[in-house]
Amino acid sequence: MAAAAASSGRASVCWLLACCLIGAGRAGKRKEKSDDERDTVKMQHHSFLAPMDYTSLLDDWVVSGASIFEKERLLLHPGVPDRSGFAWSKLPLLTADFQVIFHLRVTAGPRTGSEDKVPADQALAFWHVEENMSAALDEGRVIKANTWTEGILEQGFGFVGSKGNFRGTGVVLSMASAPFNPAALGSTIAGITNDGSRTFVYGQEAPAMTCRFDFRNTLNAAQLKIRFRPDAVEVSMKQSPSLSWQECFKIDRTTSPVKPGGYIGFTARSGSPPPGGASDAVSIVEVDVSNFDENVIGEDMKDGRYVQDPRRV
C-alpha cells in the first residue's frame, strides 16, 4: 500500500510538472499585442494642436528661421523663396516604440498650378535623431552671418534645413519631385536613415524608400503616420481624416535599431522657384505623439512635474 501511494504521488508530481511545462510553452507562444490592443499614452510635451499657446509651446520646442507658432498652426515658412523652417523638441523621447501622426498643409500660390512651376529643391522633413538639434543650432552665429542660409550652412544644416550628417531617421516630403530625382514630377515622400557615417546632400543620394503622395493644396489637412519600433519604421498617409490610411513604405532597422533617447523635429526649405513659379507655404496644424511601450514612461520633464506614471496623472 505504501509503495502504491508513493507511486501515485510521483505520478501526480510528474503530471503537475507536465502541466507547468505545457503552460509555459503556451505562454511563450503568446501573440504579441497589436497596436489596437496596447495601452498607449499620448506624450503631451511632444504633441500640439490648435488653439496653440505660444508661451507654453516654447517650453517644449525651439523654433527658428522662418518658423513661428501661431494660434491655429506651426508655420514652418511662408510661400517666399530661400526660407528655412526649424522646429525641434527640447526633450528626448524615452521610448523606442512610439507613433507620430502629424497634419500638414502645403499651400501653393496662384502661379504654381502646374508641377513644373514648383521649386525642385523645396522640401519638408520630419526627423527622429540621436542628437539634440534644438541645442545644436547656434542662432546667434546665424544672425551674424550675411544671410540666414549662409549662417545655417556654416553649421552643417544644409539638408532640408537640418544636418545632413545625423544618426537616426528622416522622412522627407518633396513638393515638386521625387527626392534626389528632379526629373520626376509630383509630390512624394522618401525615407532616409543614417548612422552618422555620411553626410546627405539633397538631390545627390538615393533614399531608402519612396512613394507618391499628393499632399499639396488638399481640401483638409493631409496626414502622415510614422510608426517607430526598435526594428522598423513604417510610414502611412492619407489626404483627409475620413479616408483610410494607405501604407507608404517600411524601413528595416534591424541592423541599426531605433533607440530610446531620440529627438523629434521638423525642418523645411522653401527653395528657389523656376521662372514664373513660386514657393509653397508650409504649416503643421497638429502633432500627436503616442508611446506604445507599456513598460516605460515615454517622456519626462526637466522640472520634475512627472513624478508618477503619466497613465495615472
Side-chain angles (χ1 to χ4, degrees), residues 198-282:
R198 52 189 170 148
T199 300
F200 279 92
V201 177
Y202 191 83
Q204 294 186 13
E205 296 185 56
M209 298 282 182
T210 61
C211 73
R212 290 292 303 272
F213 179 30
D214 186 9
F215 53 80
R216 298 176 68 237
N217 284 335
T218 54
L219 180 62
N220 300 298
Q223 298 182 34
L224 209 65
K225 178 170 68 174
I226 310 170
R227 180 69 171 91
F228 286 84
R229 295 181 174 86
D231 62 350
V233 178
E234 301 173 26
V235 177
S236 303
M237 59 191 178
K238 60 180 176 179
Q239 289 181 316
S240 177
S242 61
L243 301 177
S244 299
W245 288 107
Q246 301 176 47
E247 185 176 334
C248 192
F249 53 75
K250 180 177 181 179
I251 302 173
D252 186 1
R253 292 292 303 270
T254 52
T255 58
S256 179
V258 177
K259 300 176 182 178
Y263 294 81
I264 63 170
F266 299 90
T267 62
R269 283 288 295 165
S270 61
S272 303
S279 299
D280 292 344
V282 178

Side-chain angles (χ1 to χ4, degrees), residues 146-221:
N146 293 327
T147 66
W148 192 274
T149 299
E150 184 179 312
I152 63 173
L153 290 177
E154 288 175 356
Q155 299 182 56
F157 288 80
F159 186 88
V160 196
S162 190
K163 286 189 176 182
N165 180 276
F166 62 93
R167 297 177 185 271
T169 301
V171 178
V172 182
L173 291 79
S174 174
M175 314 312 173
S177 61
F180 317 102
N181 182 12
L185 295 177
S187 54
T188 60
I189 309 173
I192 57 175
T193 60
N194 198 354
D195 59 4
S197 62
R198 52 189 170 148
T199 300
F200 279 92
V201 177
Y202 191 83
Q204 294 186 13
E205 296 185 56
M209 298 282 182
T210 61
C211 73
R212 290 292 303 272
F213 179 30
D214 186 9
F215 53 80
R216 298 176 68 237
N217 284 335
T218 54
L219 180 62
N220 300 298

Side-chain angles (χ1 to χ4, degrees), residues 20-309:
C20 289
L21 290 171
I22 292 171
R26 286 176 178 170
K29 295 179 180 179
R30 186 175 298 161
K31 287 181 64 178
E32 184 179 345
K33 288 183 179 180
S34 68
D35 283 355
D36 292 337
E37 297 170 328
R38 294 194 181 192
D39 182 17
T40 61
V41 179
K42 181 172 181 176
M43 291 185 272
Q44 301 288 346
H45 300 284
H46 289 83
S47 307
F48 57 79
L49 75 165
M52 299 181 192
D53 182 349
Y54 183 90
T55 304
S56 63
L57 284 168
L58 290 184
D59 290 336
D60 299 327
W61 294 80
V62 167
V63 296
S64 189
S67 301
I68 185 172
F69 277 114
E70 299 176 336
K71 185 176 181 180
E72 300 298 328
R73 63 180 181 173
L74 164 63
L75 175 65
L76 279 173
H77 65 67
V80 178
D82 197 27
R83 294 292 186 271
S84 294
F86 184 96
W88 282 89
S89 173
K90 296 180 181 180
L91 303 172
L93 290 171
L94 306 180
T95 173
D97 190 2
F98 63 97
Q99 177 176 280
V100 178
I101 297 177
F102 67 89
H103 304 220
L104 70 152
R105 283 196 177 276
V106 177
T107 307
R111 292 180 294 169
T112 53
S114 60
E115 293 171 334
D116 61 346
K117 299 299 183 182
V118 182
D121 56 347
Q122 180 174 8
L124 155 72
F126 168 83
W127 302 97
H128 176 258
V129 300
E130 294 182 18
E131 185 176 358
N132 182 1
M133 293 295 182
S134 70
L137 181 67
D138 185 343
E139 193 175 67
R141 283 180 57 192
V142 178
I143 293 172
K144 293 176 183 177
N146 293 327
T147 66
W148 192 274
T149 299
E150 184 179 312
I152 63 173
L153 290 177
E154 288 175 356
Q155 299 182 56
F157 288 80
F159 186 88
V160 196
S162 190
K163 286 189 176 182
N165 180 276
F166 62 93
R167 297 177 185 271
T169 301
V171 178
V172 182
L173 291 79
S174 174
M175 314 312 173
S177 61
F180 317 102
N181 182 12
L185 295 177
S187 54
T188 60
I189 309 173
I192 57 175
T193 60
N194 198 354
D195 59 4
S197 62
R198 52 189 170 148
T199 300
F200 279 92
V201 177
Y202 191 83
Q204 294 186 13
E205 296 185 56
M209 298 282 182
T210 61
C211 73
R212 290 292 303 272
F213 179 30
D214 186 9
F215 53 80
R216 298 176 68 237
N217 284 335
T218 54
L219 180 62
N220 300 298
Q223 298 182 34
L224 209 65
K225 178 170 68 174
I226 310 170
R227 180 69 171 91
F228 286 84
R229 295 181 174 86
D231 62 350
V233 178
E234 301 173 26
V235 177
S236 303
M237 59 191 178
K238 60 180 176 179
Q239 289 181 316
S240 177
S242 61
L243 301 177
S244 299
W245 288 107
Q246 301 176 47
E247 185 176 334
C248 192
F249 53 75
K250 180 177 181 179
I251 302 173
D252 186 1
R253 292 292 303 270
T254 52
T255 58
S256 179
V258 177
K259 300 176 182 178
Y263 294 81
I264 63 170
F266 299 90
T267 62
R269 283 288 295 165
S270 61
S272 303
S279 299
D280 292 344
V282 178
S283 301
I284 305 296
V285 297
E286 183 175 337
V287 176
D288 190 342
V289 185
S290 300
N291 180 22
F292 278 73
D293 190 334
E294 298 171 343
N295 300 310
V296 301
I297 296 175
E299 63 179 358
D300 204 350
M301 286 299 292
K302 55 188 175 183
D303 62 5
R305 272 183 280 170
Y306 274 171
V307 295
Q308 60 177 322
D309 188 330

